[in-house]
Amino acid sequence: MAEITESAVRRVLETVIDPATGKNVVAAGMVSGIATRAGHVAVTLDVDPAQGAALEPLRQACEQAVRAMPDVLSATAVMTSERAAPPPPSPTVRVSGGHAHSHSHAPAAPGAKTTGGQGRIDVPGVKHIIAVASGKGGVGKSTTAVNLALGLAANGISTGLLDADIYGPSMPRMLGVKEKPESADGKMLKPIERYGLKTMSIGYIVAEDTPMIWRGPMVSSALEQMLRDVLWGELDVLVVDMPPGTGDAQLTLAQRVALSGAVIVSTPQDIALIDARKGLAMFRKVAVPVLGIVENMSYFLCPKCGERAEIFGHGGAHEEADKLGVPFLGEIPLHLDIRTTSDSGHPIVVSQPESAHAQAYKNIAGRVWKQLSAPQRGGRPAPKIVMR
Ligand code: ADP
């Protein structure tokens, strides 16, 4: 199959005319991003949020034009806005003809105001939504999120897992999911069930390694869709694997989603580098209780000899958690089995349930659940943990 180039897509988009201006979308400067991979094309259109509804036919026209190109398997056009005014046009995850497409529509509520009290995103039927966050990428946030969710499920708690790490969705790989989510009515997506978890990931919809360019407003609206338009059903806990870092997009998520609490994943060296502190500060800013810190890659356990080496100066997170008055949830060693199991679609909590690592995750899950179900919480919101 011939590779689809960005310039070929651009040429096709030059044939799509905005009737309001008479200009094609490229000439009008609306096309802010084109990503192609193995027959999948994603186009971002930068628009004025006030124009969202009016431009929907144009967005569809762009999608159709690209889809009609030879060798294109799927085409997605999303509207986004760099102009900060919230709320952004929200990408809708909609399904047609067995294929899921992520695309956008204008904010539906007539007269919806952009000022102040934007509704918090709540998921009916889900008792607690918790975020798993990290100050930066590569600390094992997703590995922790998956094994924590499986640890909750192993403790008999009905659990869902939402991969909100839309920059680098890892659930398809970590859970070995190859199929696309289905929809019975073309509106609501059915979560994909794996190992007793209900799961959803943007990676189920867009190819995992498609280089997607997401801007802040799109991140939160894509997540909003994955919370609202997925049939999560009744769940005790929905674990949300957040995008790494503590930028505006993450802050918006923390602010908009009705979170019962957050778990911060850190390695011993980040604690020293205060990345994790940034995570704490972010949740504090939006009054989301921090359920605690997990120290990942805490020490090295040699898979051959079982020797334990504290190469990163283990224990930093525990000390830091104590100092900040935040619970310490537990430590996970750096171990080859943790990597190979999660990278092959069989996370350690389910593939080696009797192992010490699985037990460590289950203990962390138990500590998280204890806080969530503590009687004084009365559901949500939880008591605020005060940090100095
Ligand atoms: P993040 O979500 O923070 O970017 P990931 O969970 O994707 O990080 O982990 C990054 C890599 O490190 C993955 O290959 C994962 O398998 C590996 N990894 C994470 N935690 C551990 C651990 N405790 N021991 C060994 N490998 C780990």
Side-chain angles (χ1 to χ4, degrees), residues 134 136-144 165 170 173-174 241 244 265 296-298 332-340 342-343 361:
S134 63
K136 62 170 192 181
V139 301
K141 172 183 54 57
S142 300
T143 308
T144 307
D165 187 351
S170 40
R173 174 172 46 92
M174 290 195 178
D241 182 11
V265 181
N296 189 38
M297 311 192 196
S298 187
I332 304 292
L334 175 65
H335 194 279
L336 189 63
D337 287 352
I338 298 178
R339 194 187 68 71
T340 51
S342 67
D343 290 353
Y361 283 116

Side-chain angles (χ1 to χ4, degrees), residues 150 153 157-159 193-198:
L150 290 167
I157 296 153
S158 61
T159 308
E193 300 217 10
R194 266 299 181 283
Y195 307 125
L197 300 178
K198 286 185 181 165

Side-chain angles (χ1 to χ4, degrees), residues 48-179:
D48 178 345
Q51 296 274 304
L55 293 172
E56 172 60 17
L58 192 63
R59 187 199 62 73
Q60 286 182 16
C62 291
E63 229 169 49
Q64 275 160 18
V66 176
R67 207 172 288 145
M69 291 171 70
D71 297 327
V72 166
L73 301 175
S74 80
T76 304
V78 284
M79 288 192 280
T80 181
S81 169
E82 293 223 285
R83 286 150 261 209
S90 51
T92 307
V93 176
R94 203 178 286 168
V95 176
S96 56
H99 287 284
H101 300 293
S102 171
H103 62 94
S104 80
H105 68 106
K113 286 278 176 295
T114 58
T115 46
Q118 270 192 48
R120 296 198 89 195
I121 307 169
D122 215 335
V123 186
V126 176
K127 292 200 190 95
H128 299 283
I129 307 177
I130 62 169
V132 178
S134 63
K136 62 170 192 181
V139 301
K141 172 183 54 57
S142 300
T143 308
T144 307
V146 169
N147 283 297
L148 167 63
L150 290 167
L152 286 164
N155 283 312
I157 296 153
S158 61
T159 308
L161 178 62
L162 169 59
D163 182 3
D165 187 351
I166 63 166
Y167 300 108
S170 40
M171 294 314 155
R173 174 172 46 92
M174 290 195 178
L175 297 170
V177 170
K178 300 221 164 52
E179 66 263 38

